[in-house]
Amino acid sequence: MLDPGRPARKGDAMASRTISFDWTDSAAGAAWPVLVRVSGAARERAAIAYLDRHDQLCGARHFGGGHGHVDLSVRRIAIDALAFGAAAVVLAHNHPSGEAWPSRADREVTARLAHALRTLEVRLHDHWIAGARGGWWSFRAAGLL
């Protein structure tokens, strides 16, 4: 289970800087065309891919941000998930001035979002972070979702 308050320790999944994706994962494959657009942006941006029960894309939303943050509304994401009839959500955002490494705020919003969606019977399939240097980080691959 994700513990947003606990710092990474050597040997943890969190201690690995870049995680490889399982491209046989149909949800990752369906979400990738929507989510890849956040990489390389000069300002922090986020994208949400909404997937149906067959892991097919049924909706998407992009959020703009500033230099170091993007305001993700858990409420807006939950409303969209219900409106699209989504069974799963994949979130991605970029760190335009840093590495693909989750901040404390990233871990906290992921935990809040996973909990909120779970109460609606929607799963947070993954949360990806794109680094400024081209690397990607996955909460799911790190065993945190």
Side-chain angles (χ1 to χ4, degrees), residues 4-117:
R6 185 181 69 76
R9 295 185 190 110
K10 189 171 184 168
D12 284 355
M14 290 280 294
S16 176
R17 292 286 181 183
T18 303
I19 304 257
S20 298
F21 290 102
D22 176 6
W23 292 112
T24 62
D25 175 359
S26 60
W32 179 253
V34 172
L35 304 180
V36 70
R37 295 177 188 181
V38 302
S39 67
R43 292 179 178 256
E44 194 156 333
R45 298 192 48 80
I48 312 334
Y50 299 92
L51 308 174
D52 67 16
R53 62 188 180 93
H54 301 291
D55 288 338
Q56 298 299 308
L57 187 67
C58 62
R61 181 177 294 272
H62 288 85
F63 292 87
H67 291 291
H69 79 282
V70 61
D71 291 324
L72 289 175
S73 168
V74 171
R75 182 173 188 247
R76 175 82 262 163
I77 294 168
I79 289 169
D80 284 350
L82 293 173
F84 289 125
V89 170
V90 182
L91 161 67
H93 81 280
N94 67 325
H95 286 174
S97 61
E99 293 186 33
W101 180 248
S103 67
R104 181 183 182 118
D106 294 335
R107 294 188 309 271
E108 289 172 354
V109 76
T110 302
R112 281 196 327 269
L113 183 58
H115 175 73
L117 291 174

Side-chain angles (χ1 to χ4, degrees), residues 127-144:
H127 178 179
W128 299 339
I129 301 171
R133 294 166 194 71
W136 285 84
W137 201 90
S138 162
F139 277 77
R140 182 179 175 92
L144 299 174

